[in-house]
Amino acid sequence: MHWSDIDLSGGSLEIRTALQRVNGELTLTAPKTRRSERPVPLPAVCADALRRHRARQAEERRAAGEQWQETGLVFTTRRGTPIEPRNLNRHFYPIRERLGLEVRFHDLRHTCVTLLLGLGIPPHIVRDIVGHSALDGP
């Protein structure tokens, strides 16, 4: 996802690309399904988190100096490059074990649904965020 896909003041983002491995290279491609290409509402708590993340990324850009590779991506390494999916798992599982949790990375999506509903976000908005046709199960 690119920063240009996010409207923080309007509280929405547009899913236009997906990071996938194609022929051994990380590549931005169209999402897997047509339904995946959709606007997603951003509750205020999410927009605020993205604002803080953008400020941290600006600090990383300054710290990296000439080593920064501008991609426009929202989530990057400290040098601006796409995050290698395997590295995400390498970091997630040790944290999970240290906390004594037995969850898969995908389970975080279900946790997101629970947290958003607990924050009082209307179910139809939560459904749109996670891309479900109904909230009868994550």
Side-chain angles (χ1 to χ4, degrees):
M1 175 179 8
H2 290 90
W3 283 109
S4 61
D5 298 331
I6 300 174
D7 178 4
L8 291 173
S9 60
S12 69
L13 65 87
E14 186 78 26
I15 296 175
R16 298 178 192 169
T17 57
L19 187 63
Q20 297 181 353
R21 189 166 301 286
V22 177
N23 298 325
E25 299 282 327
L26 284 178
T27 306
L28 288 170
T29 63
K32 291 180 184 178
T33 67
R34 188 161 209 80
R35 182 158 159 50
S36 295
E37 294 181 45
R38 67 189 192 281
V40 175
L42 279 177
V45 65
C46 297
D48 291 343
L50 283 168
R51 284 184 190 93
R52 289 189 305 274
H53 174 67
R54 186 169 52 187
R56 281 190 306 271
Q57 191 179 62
E59 292 172 17
E60 289 174 350
R61 182 182 292 113
R62 282 189 292 279
E66 292 180 13
Q67 292 182 337
W68 183 264
Q69 295 180 31
E70 186 56 57
T71 59
L73 293 172
V74 175
F75 300 104
T76 65
T77 66
R78 290 187 182 134
R79 293 186 180 175
T81 58
I83 296 172
E84 172 62 53
R86 289 181 303 224
N87 286 344
L88 183 64
N89 286 332
R90 283 187 204 129
H91 284 75
F92 174 73
Y93 288 104
I95 292 169
R96 177 192 80 162
E97 289 170 16
R98 192 169 53 244
L99 295 173
L101 301 174
E102 292 188 25
V103 295
R104 299 166 299 149
F105 188 78
H106 183 77
D107 294 335
L108 298 178
R109 180 179 172 157
H110 305 281
T111 302
C112 174
V113 168
T114 302
L115 292 172
L116 289 172
L117 291 170
L119 287 170
I121 306 299
H124 71 281
I125 301 292
V126 175
R127 179 197 65 215
D128 291 345
I129 289 170
V130 297
H132 291 179
S133 57
L135 271 183
D136 39 321

